[in-house]
Amino acid sequence: MERIPILQMGDFLLVTIQVDMHDRLAMTLQDDLTNRICQANARGVLIDISALEIVDSFIGRILGNIAKMAKVLDAQTVVVGMQPAVAITLVELGLSLEGIRTALNVEKGMNLLRTGFDPQSAPHLFPRG
Amino acid sequence: MIALRSETLSIQSSADVVLVRQAVRQLAIELGFSLVEQTKIVTAASELARNTLDYGKGGTVQLEGLQEERRKGLRLTFIDQGPGIPDIELALKDGYTTGNGLGMGLSGAKRLVSEFKIDSTVGLGTCITATKWK
């Protein structure tokens, strides 16, 4: 069966979606990721959607579900790399991806996961004043 | 209004929804739509194709490239012989769903295109027309 690969890097799981996902594939990813969080004892999940040309309400729901399930399992989720055209369309579609933490790119997303989303623990990343 | 080109695709599985997205993207590129406009029409097509599959029990979509005076457009006509939509106004409300989605499909797709029309007869089926002008 077709699957989206999940990579492990220390405490984190990394997923890069590089195909135009049909709905069943997205459901499979949701199940696989939830299982892998438990198996790998993961603290965080990073999902790179830079290759996704659209995010519709179904994919939006799957991303939201993944973030919620991960949270229940004590893992953080960050979605990175959304294309500007996708962001514009999502807002017009009426989806705000509530509850999903996003970052511009993989590097910023990894930093968020490493600091547990806490700006205090990494002051150099969030310069003030 | 002149139809520049037309094709019809079948929607019977979630893999077909992906094919519809790709065909709509291709046509939008041919018609010279900007990247943001392409993304909007492809996203609307994805929502409507899934609707045809999930609620209409499958059907077809006709893709047409249109030329009206100096403007170009892309028209999508989704047809199914499913149970039909008893209350179209309610179906178009944000957050309303009879399935397990977010209830943003129809209302969201309507916002992403220039013209949007639903004809539905309970027991006979549904025809949804969505047009995006450049």
Side-chain angles (χ1 to χ4, degrees):
Chain A
M1 203 173 104
E2 196 185 357
R3 284 195 134 81
I4 293 173
I6 300 170
L7 307 178
Q8 189 176 350
M9 209 175 102
D11 287 340
F12 307 122
L13 299 178
L14 309 180
V15 179
T16 300
I17 302 172
Q18 285 177 330
V19 290
D20 195 349
M21 277 195 299
H22 58 77
D23 294 359
R24 286 245 314 282
L25 187 56
M27 298 283 285
T28 307
L29 174 65
Q30 177 184 308
D31 294 350
D32 286 354
L33 254 179
T34 315
N35 287 325
R36 280 294 292 278
I37 290 170
C38 287
Q39 284 167 7
N41 224 341
R43 281 199 301 126
V45 178
L46 183 138
I47 305 174
D48 175 18
I49 61 165
S50 56
L52 272 191
E53 291 182 333
I54 66 153
V55 172
D56 62 10
S57 65
F58 186 85
I59 298 170
R61 181 160 66 97
I62 294 288
L63 291 174
N65 284 352
I66 288 171
K68 277 186 211 154
M69 289 172 190
K71 198 174 173 199
V72 173
L73 296 170
D74 195 27
Q76 314 260 31
T77 303
V78 59
V79 172
V80 307
M82 185 183 294
Q83 294 179 15
V86 172
I88 293 168
T89 303
L90 257 186
V91 171
E92 204 155 317
L93 182 66
L95 289 184
S96 52
L97 296 189
E98 255 172 65
I100 301 178
R101 196 60 200 262
T102 56
L104 268 186
N105 54 41
V106 173
E107 196 181 350
K108 288 183 174 169
M110 282 308 292
N111 277 333
L112 271 180
L113 287 179
R114 283 199 192 99
T115 58
F117 297 166
D118 178 15
Q120 299 295 332
S121 63
H124 61 284
L125 293 174
F126 300 87
R128 251 161 282 162
Chain B
M1 188 163 31
I2 315 159
L4 298 171
R5 149 163 139 58
S6 167
E7 69 180 298
T8 301
L9 300 173
S10 169
I11 304 169
Q12 301 298 338
S13 70
S14 73
D16 289 342
V17 175
V18 174
L19 294 178
V20 170
R21 291 204 287 253
Q22 289 166 354
V24 171
R25 170 80 65 179
Q26 187 56 43
L27 182 54
I29 291 171
E30 279 173 31
L31 292 166
F33 279 90
S34 71
L35 180 60
V36 171
E37 300 302 297
Q38 287 169 33
T39 307
K40 287 182 183 178
I41 184 84
V42 173
T43 305
S46 185
E47 299 290 352
L48 296 174
R50 183 177 298 109
N51 228 71
T52 297
L53 182 65
D54 291 350
Y55 299 102
K57 315 289 171 210
T60 59
V61 58
Q62 186 185 14
L63 284 62
E64 291 169 288
L66 307 173
Q67 172 98 51
E68 190 182 69
E69 289 164 16
R70 258 189 256 162
R71 66 175 181 173
K72 282 186 176 166
L74 197 164
R75 183 164 66 199
L76 302 170
T77 310
F78 292 84
I79 296 171
D80 68 62
Q81 273 83 46
I85 303 170
D87 187 340
I88 291 172
E89 206 177 312
L90 184 62
L92 275 169
K93 256 177 95 167
D94 276 349
Y96 177 81
T97 180
T98 55
N100 51 9
L102 296 167
M104 300 307 289
L106 276 185
S107 55
K110 185 181 177 186
R111 276 193 293 272
L112 292 173
V113 298
S114 320
E115 290 164 25
F116 190 83
K117 191 165 150 264
I118 301 181
D119 288 309
S120 190
T121 309
V122 172
L124 284 179
T126 301
C127 173
I128 299 180
T129 313
T131 311
K132 186 140 194 92
W133 293 105
K134 213 181 114 187

